[in-house]
Amino acid sequence: MELVERIISNPVMMEYVWKPLVVILILLFIVLTLVAYLVYAERKVSAFIQARLGPMRVGPYGLLQPLADLIKLLLKEDLIPAEGDRAIFKFAPIMSVVCALVVLAVIPFGWGVATITDINIGLLFILSVSSVGILGIILGGWASNSKYPLLGALRSSAQMVSYEVAMALALVGPLMFAKSLSMTAIVEAQRADHIWYLLYQPVAFLIFLVAGVAETNRTPFDLPEAEAELVAGFHTEYSGFRWSLYFLAEYTNMLISSAIAVTVFLGGWSFPLLDRLRPEHPGLFTLLSILVFAVKVFVLIYIFMWFRWTFPRYRYDQLMDLGWKWMIPATLANILITGAIIMIGQETLGLTKVTGGEYGERLVVPGLAGKAYFIGMAWLVLVPLTWIILAIINRRSYDFNLRAQRQIRLPERPATDDVFGKV
Amino acid sequence: MTDKPEKPKSAPKVSAKKPVASSEPPPITDDPIVDRLRQQFPEAVLEAIQLDWPTLRIARDYILRVCRFLRDDAEAQFDFLTDLTGRHIPDAEKPFQVIYHLYSFPRNARLRLKVDVGQDEAIPSVVEVWSGANWMEREVYDLFGIRFENHPDLRRLLLPEDWEGHPLRKDYPLLFRYNRWTQEHLNMIPFDPEGEYTGKFE
Amino acid sequence: MYQRDLGATEKGSPGIREMVLNMGPQHPATHGVLRIILKLDGETVVDLDCDIGYLHRGVEKICENRPYTHIEPYFDRLDYVAGVSNNLAYIEAVEKLAGIEVPPRAQYIRVILTELQRIASHLLWLGTHAMDIGAVTIFLYAFREREEVLNIFENYFGARLTTNALRIGGLFYDTYPGFEEQVRAFCRIFPERLNEYETILNENRIWLGRTVGVGVLTAEEAKDLSVTGPVLRGSGVKWDIRKAFPYEVYDELDWEVPVGENGDTYDRYLVRMEEMRQSRHIILQALDRLPQGPILGKVPKMIRPPAGEVYHSIESPKGELGVYLVSNGTSFPERLRIRPPSQINLQALRKMAIGHMVADVIALIGSIDIVLGEVDR
C-alpha cells in the first residue's frame, strides 16, 4: 500500500505520468467536443451557403445536435461483413483515430502551458504519424471484403502517397527561414521577426492548403469516399460507432491540417502587439494566445468547409495530375527559387542575420528593407516564376489547355424582355 | 380494379359494340419513295396506305433490306429509327406485328413500316442498320416473344431472365401475381406443381 | 487522354486485370433502380451492361385494359418529374386519333404548364447532375427554384408531382386567380437565378475538367442510336419536335432551339441551361397572348375513337416522348406503346462510357437525364 502511495507521489511519476495524463484527458475532452461541434459547424456553414437553416430542432439553434448524433451513433447496430477480416475490420478505425489524436501532442495551441510538448522534430513527427493514419483507411477498405471500399482504399492510398510528398515539400520553404522543425521554434521565429511566413512563402502556403484538403479527404478531393461513385468509399461497410471513429479521425485531421498551416504560415499563437502583455500578465497572455490560435484555425477550417460546399469533385486521374504534375513541381520550384532568394538576400545584399536563441539558430530579417525585399521577391518573382515553370511543364496537359468557356450560340435576339411584354 | 373481369378483346364483340363507320384509309399511289421501293424490291411492299403517316406493309424476309435501302437511298434518307414496337393480334393469320417508325432528318418526314410475323417465326434484326434498335428489339422480344434473327444480344430487357410468358400478348392475364417466378424469388405462396399457372384471374 | 487501347487488355490475361463492379440497383447516383454492371480495368471502364426493369409495372399492359379516360394518371407516373409533359403526350395522341378540337385558351395554358414542367425537370436534372459530380450546393439552389414551379402546380393541379388536370379535349380547371402573376413573378427572378448557377459551374475548372470531352457522342452516332432531346441537340443536331412537328401553339411563338457542338457532357449541360431560358421566353409569350374562352372542347361522354392508329410525339424534357395508339373502336385502346425517351437515350451510355472512368459513368448517367419510372415503365 505504501509502495503504491510512493509510486503515485513520486515526483518522477508526477512529472512524466500523472501530469501528462491529466493534460491528455483535458485535451481529449476539448478536442473531441470541438470535433463534435465542428460537425455542427459544418452543417451550419453548409446551410448558410445553401440558403437553408441547418439543424434547428435539438436545443436552441440545434446546439445539442452533436449530442443527439453521438447517442444515435452509439446505439446503432454494429455490422461486420460476414466475409470480412473481423480483426482488421475492428482495428482499422481505431488506428485512424489514434494516429489523428497522437499528432495533437506536438501542436502548440498557445504560449506556455498550452504547448503540451515541444519536440525538436515536431513537423517530422506530425508528417510521419499522420501518414500511418492512412493505413487505417486502407486496412478498413480492404478488410470489408467488398468492392466499393476496396476501390476507395486504393484511391485513398494513391492520393495520400502523392499529396504527402507535396505537403512535406511545401513545408521546406518556411523551414529555410525558421531553421528548425520544432513547432514552437517556428512560431517563435515568426514572432521575433514580426512576420508571417505566408508573406514570404505564398506558393508553399497555397500548396499546403490544397494538400491539406486532399489529406483530409474533403471535397474536391474526397475521392476515397466519393458518395456518388463509391457509395461511401472505404467506410461503406462501417456502421455505428466504428463509422463515427472514421468521422472523428477526418475532422481531427482537418483540425490538425489547419493547425499546422497556422503554425507554419500564419504565425501560430502570436499576434502583433499582443507580445507586450507577456512580461506583465503571463496568464492573460496564455489565454489570449490560445484564443488567437483558435481564431486562426477556425478561419482556415471555414475555408476548408467553403471549398467543400462550392467545388465539384475531381476525377481520379485529374487528382493524380494535379498532385504530380502541378503541386510537386511547384514545391520543388518553390524550394529552388526560395533558396536563391535567400542566398542573394543573405550573401549579396546582407539583409539577414542568423541569430541563436532559445530554440537554436534561425534566420532573422531585421530591417524593413530586408522584409520588403523578401516579400517583394516572393510575390513578384517567386509566384510568377513558379507559374511559368508549371506552365512549361504542363503545356501539353489537358487540364492546362482546357478550352475556354463555351457557349451555346443563338441568333442575336433583343437583350431585354420588352419583346415579351411586361415580365 | 384488380377484381375486374377480363376485358373483351376479341374482334367480333368489339364490332358488335360499336358500328364504326371506318372508311378505308386511302392507298398511296404517287409517293416517289414507295415507287422506288417497289421498283427495287418488287415483292417487298405488300400494302401502302396513308394513315397519319404513310404506312407500308413489308414482307418479313425483306425488312432488313428495305430498312437499309430506306436509310441509304438519296431520296428517302430515313436516317433515324424513332420507334420499334410490336403488336399481338390473336385472331389474325399471322398473330404478331412488328411496327417501325422511321424519321428522316433532312426531309422532316415519318414513315411507318409494318411486318407480320407468324406464331413461331423470327424476323431479321435491324440493329445493323440502326444501333438504336438494340434495346427496342430486346423489349419486343421480352414483352411479345418475337425473336429477332442476328440480334447481337437478344436477352430480356425489362423482365427477369427466367420469367415465363410474354406480358403484352393478349392471352397473358392482367393480374398474374402468383406465378412460378414470384413463387421462387419472392417467397409468396407455396408452389403447387399440380396447380394451374396459366394465369387465370382469381 | 486516358482512353486506353482496350485491345491490349484483351490480349493480356483477361479476368486477372479486370474487375466486375455491380453498380446499383441501390446506389446513390443511379437515379433510382438502374443497375449497371461495369467491367473495370483499374478504374477504367472496359465494358458495361445496363440492367433495367426493376421498376417495371407493365404500364402498356394496364393501359390496354383501361378506358381512354382512365389512362392519363398512369402517364404522369412514368416520368414522375415531368408529369405534365407525359400527360400531354397521351392526351394529344387521343385527341389526334379521335379528332377532338381543343379550344385555344386550353392550348395556351397547356403550353405554359408544359414549359414550366420543362424548367422544373431541367432544374431537377441540374441539381442531381451537379451533385453526382460533387457540387452539392447547386442541388439545393436548383430545388429552391423548382419549389416555386411546384407551388404553381400545387395551386393549379392540387398536386405537385402527379399532375393530372389535362383532359381529353382541353383542361379540367381554368387558371386560378393570381396564376398569371405567380408565373410572371417566377419568370422575373428566374434568369437571375440561372446566372447564379452558371457563375458556380460554367467557368469552374473542376466542372470543366469533369464535363468537357467526357462522353462525346457525334451527330452520326447520336442519330444511329436513336437518341433524342437535349442529348441529340448537344451533339449538334438542331432538332426539336416543337419545331419539326409543332403541336399546340408552338408554331405561333418565337423561340430558338439551342444546339451544342461537341456532343460532350458540357455541351449537354449548356443546351439544357439554354433550354430553360427559352422555356421562360415561351411562357412569357404565351402569357401575353393568353386568350379568353372555354377550356374544354366538345368531347363525347364516352371516348371511342374510330378504329385506326396514330403515332404522336411531343418534346418532353428528356426527349421525344411518343405514343403509338391503336384503336379498335371500343373505349379501350387495342395497343398503346410509349416511346420512352430516356430509356432509348440510355442505350447511348455504353457507347459514351467505354474507355472512361467510373466517375465519368456517374457524370454520364446524370447527363443523359434518366428517370427510372419511364425507363422501366
Side-chain angles (χ1 to χ4, degrees):
Chain A
M1 200 61 212
E2 219 170 273
L3 186 76
V4 173
E5 249 174 52
R6 272 236 312 276
I7 289 173
I8 290 173
S9 56
N10 188 340
V12 179
M13 285 295 279
M14 204 65 187
E15 183 64 27
Y16 291 103
V17 179
W18 303 123
K19 219 178 103 188
L21 213 59
V22 170
V23 175
I24 286 170
L25 284 179
I26 293 172
L27 187 68
L28 274 188
F29 178 75
I30 292 173
V31 168
L32 293 186
T33 319
L34 202 64
V35 164
Y37 275 90
L38 272 185
V39 179
Y40 172 77
E42 171 109 62
R43 291 174 69 175
K44 277 293 187 189
V45 168
S46 72
F48 167 63
I49 291 175
Q50 295 168 346
R52 55 192 177 88
L53 285 176
M56 289 295 279
R57 295 301 172 101
V58 191
Y61 294 95
L63 273 170
L64 297 179
Q65 187 68 43
L67 202 66
D69 286 347
L70 183 78
I71 293 168
K72 181 201 77 176
L73 286 170
L74 275 172
L75 295 179
K76 263 190 164 178
E77 191 187 356
D78 180 30
L79 290 170
I80 299 179
E83 298 290 310
D85 190 326
R86 297 179 73 90
I88 296 179
F89 187 84
K90 287 176 180 170
F91 174 65
I94 299 171
M95 189 165 178
S96 257
V97 160
V98 165
C99 292
L101 292 179
V102 162
V103 173
L104 291 171
V106 295
I107 288 175
F109 292 98
W111 182 70
V113 287
T115 308
I116 297 141
T117 43
D118 177 40
I119 53 177
N120 54 4
I121 50 158
L123 266 181
L124 270 186
F125 177 77
I126 292 173
L127 288 174
S128 47
V129 171
S130 54
S131 44
V132 175
I134 296 148
L135 269 181
I137 289 177
I138 298 169
L139 287 179
W142 180 79
S144 304
N145 194 14
S146 166
K147 281 171 184 172
Y148 287 113
L150 183 68
L151 273 179
L154 286 176
R155 283 178 170 194
S156 169
S157 51
Q159 175 178 339
M160 298 297 175
V161 167
S162 326
Y163 283 77
E164 280 282 322
V165 178
M167 199 173 187
L169 286 177
L171 290 174
V172 172
L175 293 184
M176 286 181 181
F177 289 95
K179 287 187 184 288
S180 171
L181 282 167
S182 153
M183 298 289 270
T184 312
I186 295 169
V187 177
E188 286 291 341
Q190 295 179 65
R191 197 179 57 78
D193 212 3
H194 302 294
I195 196 85
W196 288 357
Y197 284 154
L198 165 65
L199 296 173
Y200 289 167
Q201 287 290 313
V203 176
F205 177 68
L206 194 70
I207 288 169
F208 183 84
L209 205 64
V210 175
V213 177
E215 283 289 290
T216 46
N217 289 336
R218 293 175 65 82
T219 321
F221 305 103
D222 61 340
L223 287 104
E225 46 193 292
E227 187 190 342
E229 297 146 31
L230 302 184
V231 188
F234 62 89
H235 57 59
T236 306
E237 303 288 348
Y238 280 90
S239 65
F241 209 68
R242 281 181 221 291
W243 174 82
S244 67
L245 286 183
Y246 272 127
F247 218 62
L248 182 69
E250 186 192 318
Y251 277 85
T252 315
N253 275 328
M254 186 166 81
L255 203 67
I256 289 163
S257 284
S258 333
I260 299 170
V262 166
T263 311
V264 177
F265 293 98
L266 298 178
W269 43 260
S270 73
F271 198 74
L273 307 180
L274 220 61
D275 252 0
R276 295 173 190 175
L277 280 173
R278 177 140 69 152
E280 289 161 29
H281 310 282
L284 184 66
F285 180 73
T286 305
L287 215 66
L288 281 178
S289 68
I290 294 175
L291 201 69
V292 165
F293 187 82
V295 168
K296 287 176 180 173
V297 165
F298 283 126
V299 167
L300 280 190
I301 285 179
Y302 181 80
I303 292 176
F304 276 31
M305 291 175 177
W306 191 4
F307 281 171
R308 173 163 179 187
W309 300 109
T310 336
F311 285 138
R313 185 182 300 117
Y314 270 111
R315 200 172 51 208
Y316 182 62
D317 59 322
Q318 291 165 345
L319 182 90
M320 290 291 117
D321 238 40
L322 190 74
W324 291 100
K325 289 203 215 149
W326 290 81
M327 304 208 1
I328 293 176
T331 47
L332 291 173
N334 182 48
I335 292 169
L336 281 177
I337 299 166
T338 309
I341 290 172
I342 292 178
M343 279 297 283
I344 295 168
Q346 203 169 359
E347 305 293 325
T348 321
L349 303 174
L351 292 168
T352 63
K353 63 175 186 194
V354 177
T355 58
E358 194 185 340
Y359 298 98
E361 285 192 334
R362 61 170 178 264
L363 205 66
V364 170
V365 187
L368 206 64
K371 286 198 175 70
Y373 164 78
F374 277 112
I375 295 172
M377 285 302 262
W379 291 87
L380 298 178
V381 177
L382 179 60
V383 174
L385 214 58
T386 314
W387 179 254
I388 290 167
I389 290 170
L390 286 180
I392 292 170
I393 291 172
N394 292 300
R395 71 189 184 285
R396 292 171 68 87
S397 148
Y398 173 80
D399 188 51
F400 180 66
N401 294 319
L402 213 54
R403 271 160 291 173
Q405 181 195 2
R406 292 206 299 265
Q407 274 181 338
I408 297 294
R409 266 183 284 282
L410 291 173
E412 280 299 311
R413 60 162 57 253
T416 59
D417 280 319
D418 299 343
V419 203
F420 307 111
K422 63 177 197 306
V423 180
Chain B
M1 289 307 247
T2 48
D3 52 350
K4 225 174 189 178
E6 200 173 341
K7 292 284 164 294
K9 279 184 221 79
S10 50
K13 225 173 166 184
V14 167
S15 46
K17 208 168 176 184
K18 167 144 188 184
V20 181
S22 60
S23 55
E24 279 298 308
I28 301 173
T29 46
D30 55 345
D31 193 303
I33 290 158
V34 179
D35 290 344
R36 280 176 65 86
L37 203 59
R38 283 207 163 107
Q39 215 171 16
Q40 190 81 13
F41 307 107
E43 294 159 16
V45 183
L46 305 177
E47 188 188 358
I49 49 172
Q50 179 71 37
L51 294 170
D52 57 335
W53 308 106
T55 304
L56 311 181
R57 191 183 298 276
I58 307 288
R60 181 174 60 93
D61 298 337
Y62 282 94
I63 182 65
L64 182 60
R65 274 173 279 173
V66 166
C67 282
R68 197 180 285 127
F69 173 79
L70 286 172
R71 183 193 63 177
D72 296 336
D73 185 61
E75 277 182 46
Q77 291 181 311
F78 285 104
D79 47 0
F80 189 80
L81 177 70
T82 299
D83 191 19
L84 190 158
T85 187
R87 189 181 158 192
H88 186 208
I89 312 154
D91 303 330
E93 183 195 349
K94 288 185 165 186
F96 293 106
Q97 208 170 47
V98 179
I99 299 134
Y100 303 76
H101 286 96
L102 313 185
Y103 176 73
S104 161
F105 279 106
R107 297 195 300 118
N108 192 25
R110 288 196 198 280
L111 180 70
R112 180 182 295 134
L113 303 181
K114 287 183 173 180
V115 180
D116 291 327
V117 186
Q119 183 64 48
D120 291 318
E121 286 178 343
I123 174 170
S125 163
V126 294
V127 175
E128 55 184 280
V129 186
W130 299 286
S131 318
N134 191 330
W135 281 20
M136 303 186 207
E137 285 182 354
R138 275 177 68 185
E139 189 178 322
V140 171
Y141 165 72
D142 186 357
L143 301 181
F144 288 94
I146 304 170
R147 283 189 305 105
F148 289 86
E149 285 166 359
N150 298 326
H151 188 285
D153 179 29
L154 195 63
R155 287 176 292 143
R156 280 181 182 271
L157 182 69
L158 295 170
L159 296 176
E161 279 296 304
D162 48 350
W163 190 269
E164 285 175 9
H166 302 282
L168 281 185
R169 290 189 178 182
K170 293 288 178 194
D171 52 8
Y172 191 94
L174 183 60
L175 193 68
F176 191 30
R177 190 176 295 152
Y178 301 115
N179 56 25
R180 196 185 298 270
W181 192 89
T182 52
Q183 195 277 329
E184 278 173 13
H185 292 84
L186 302 182
N187 224 348
M188 289 175 79
I189 46 160
F191 182 61
D192 179 11
E194 307 277 304
E196 185 90 349
Y197 286 97
T198 52
K200 289 274 191 300
F201 283 116
E202 61 250 57
Chain C
M1 169 189 49
Y2 47 79
Q3 287 210 358
R4 175 189 301 238
D5 181 18
L6 293 172
T9 322
E10 282 157 18
K11 255 183 273 165
S13 43
I16 295 172
R17 285 187 65 89
E18 290 157 7
M19 175 170 103
V20 175
L21 183 70
N22 189 18
M23 191 181 270
Q26 284 86 34
H27 188 278
T30 50
H31 295 214
V33 285
L34 171 66
R35 176 177 170 222
I36 302 174
I37 303 152
L38 294 162
K39 199 195 257 181
L40 301 177
D41 175 8
E43 283 219 17
T44 312
V45 177
V46 180
D47 201 355
L48 71 81
D49 185 25
C50 294
D51 185 4
I52 62 174
Y54 286 88
L55 211 59
H56 181 59
R57 280 108 64 224
V59 170
E60 290 176 12
K61 180 79 177 177
I62 296 171
C63 290
E64 284 169 19
N65 293 277
R66 294 277 178 277
Y68 283 101
T69 42
H70 291 192
I71 290 173
E72 196 195 338
Y74 290 97
F75 269 74
D76 49 47
R77 282 148 180 86
L78 287 176
D79 180 355
Y80 40 75
V81 301
V84 186
S85 308
N86 286 262
N87 289 154
L88 190 70
Y90 168 70
I91 294 285
E92 285 193 346
V94 178
E95 282 164 1
K96 202 167 165 184
L97 190 60
I100 296 170
E101 287 287 317
V102 183
R105 182 173 171 82
Q107 293 197 7
Y108 273 100
I109 295 174
R110 280 179 182 185
V111 166
I112 293 169
L113 293 171
T114 20
E115 292 307 316
L116 279 173
Q117 183 70 80
R118 187 183 314 277
I119 289 176
S121 170
H122 279 1
L123 282 173
L124 184 94
W125 157 81
L126 175 69
T128 49
H129 181 44
M131 192 164 71
D132 288 347
I133 294 184
V136 187
T137 300
I138 292 285
F139 178 73
L140 284 132
Y141 283 3
F143 265 54
R144 184 182 56 189
E145 270 67 73
R146 183 168 175 265
E147 195 65 23
E148 292 179 21
V149 178
L150 293 189
N151 283 340
I152 296 172
F153 283 176
E154 195 176 1
N155 287 341
Y156 181 79
F157 294 102
R160 292 156 64 84
L161 281 177
T162 49
T163 56
N164 191 22
L166 307 186
R167 290 290 177 271
I168 297 166
L171 296 166
F172 189 63
Y173 307 114
D174 204 339
T175 55
Y176 57 91
F179 171 78
E180 198 176 325
E181 287 71 40
Q182 201 174 356
V183 176
R184 277 191 198 280
F186 171 73
C187 289
R188 204 177 303 130
I189 55 152
F190 189 54
E192 201 182 302
R193 299 285 169 84
L194 266 180
N195 290 341
E196 210 170 276
Y197 313 145
E198 296 199 329
T199 319
I200 299 181
L201 296 180
N202 266 14
E203 292 176 58
N204 187 325
R205 285 188 82 81
I206 305 176
W207 180 259
L208 286 171
R210 287 298 302 275
T211 53
V212 172
V214 172
V216 175
L217 203 63
T218 64
E220 281 66 40
E221 284 166 352
K223 285 179 191 170
D224 186 45
L225 283 162
S226 298
V227 163
T228 47
V231 185
L232 180 69
R233 289 193 283 277
S235 298
V237 182
K238 191 167 185 169
W239 187 71
D240 190 309
I241 299 167
R242 289 173 290 172
K243 289 278 190 200
F245 302 109
Y247 50 93
E248 302 295 348
V249 289
Y250 280 107
D251 45 351
E252 298 170 20
L253 305 171
D254 167 42
W255 56 283
E256 297 292 334
V257 181
V259 182
E261 282 169 23
N262 305 58
D264 56 9
T265 308
Y266 188 62
D267 274 13
R268 291 191 275 276
Y269 155 76
L270 289 179
V271 163
R272 287 198 178 94
M273 293 305 266
E274 184 58 35
E275 266 181 30
M276 283 195 260
R277 292 209 172 82
Q278 297 296 333
S279 289
R280 174 180 165 272
H281 287 316
I282 295 173
I283 292 168
L284 286 174
Q285 290 177 66
L287 275 178
D288 285 346
R289 299 180 188 194
L290 189 62
Q292 293 300 320
I295 51 159
L296 200 58
K298 274 186 75 172
V299 186
K301 242 192 185 117
M302 200 67 181
I303 290 164
R304 289 204 188 94
E309 52 195 82
V310 71
Y311 177 83
H312 183 73
S313 61
I314 66 154
E315 184 74 23
S316 96
K318 312 283 186 294
E320 176 178 352
L321 175 65
V323 173
Y324 173 58
L325 195 56
V326 182
S327 159
N328 52 11
T330 60
S331 53
F332 295 87
E334 168 76 17
R335 169 89 176 100
L336 194 152
R337 150 81 174 168
I338 303 151
R339 181 201 190 272
S342 51
Q343 185 203 54
I344 292 169
N345 290 356
L346 187 61
Q347 276 191 90
L349 180 65
R350 188 167 181 271
K351 181 98 190 164
M352 293 179 190
I354 287 180
H356 285 291
M357 300 189 122
V358 181
D360 292 326
V361 176
I362 304 298
L364 288 170
I365 294 170
S367 136
I368 293 173
D369 191 12
I370 51 165
V371 169
L372 266 293
E374 181 204 83
V375 172
D376 292 345
R377 280 167 300 135

